[in-house]
Amino acid sequence: MSLALAPLDLNVEIEANLPCRKFDPDLWFSDSPTDLDVAKTLCGDCPLRVECLAGAVERAEPWGVWGGEIFERGAVVPRKRPRGRPRKEDLARDAALRVEAEARLAANGLATSRNAVRLAA
């Protein structure tokens, strides 16, 4: 008696090893800036990071971490701010992080101008 085996689906095997599948999904949609930074870090080694980011940009994802970037209201933001009025040094750091996020998007071929991808101010 022989058993017929279905062909191995490599996509299932790859998906099982993705950080967003191995860890708590709430981490990628947290309200905590620290949790979102952890999620961004976990996305760094993901083999589907670029495709995930491109899909999120195309769909204008309303929120969460996609492809190692934080989305808020359909725009890429350099970091999630805690509630309340930001400090002056936080505003300066946000400006520097915004430039860094634009560079990462451009490096992945996702944005060459501000019209291609909306970056939150």
Side-chain angles (χ1 to χ4, degrees):
M1 173 183 229
S2 71
L3 296 174
L5 297 175
L8 179 64
D9 186 356
L10 294 177
N11 290 332
V12 172
E13 195 173 310
I14 289 172
E15 284 184 20
N17 290 320
L18 298 177
C20 56
R21 305 279 191 219
K22 288 170 41 176
F23 296 95
D24 182 10
D26 291 340
L27 185 64
W28 277 260
F29 300 97
S30 176
D31 286 331
S32 164
T34 305
D35 287 349
L36 293 177
D37 285 339
V38 169
K40 282 177 62 171
T41 302
L42 291 172
C43 288
D45 295 332
C46 181
L48 299 178
R49 185 182 59 77
V50 174
E51 292 86 350
C52 178
L53 180 58
V57 167
E58 185 178 307
R59 292 185 306 271
E61 281 293 339
W63 61 293
V65 174
W66 297 90
E69 298 294 338
I70 299 173
F71 282 75
E72 191 171 292
R73 289 181 238 138
V76 175
V77 295
R79 72 177 185 90
K80 174 137 176 116
R81 288 188 192 157
R83 296 181 81 172
R85 187 176 183 160
R87 299 175 139 172
K88 288 181 182 177
E89 59 267 11
D90 289 342
L91 293 174
R93 182 178 59 186
D94 285 350
L97 289 172
R98 192 174 308 107
V99 169
E100 198 176 296
E102 288 173 356
R104 282 195 306 269
L105 288 169
N108 289 314
L110 296 173
T112 55
S113 71
R114 283 195 163 263
N115 295 334
V117 174
R118 220 177 99 230
L119 289 169

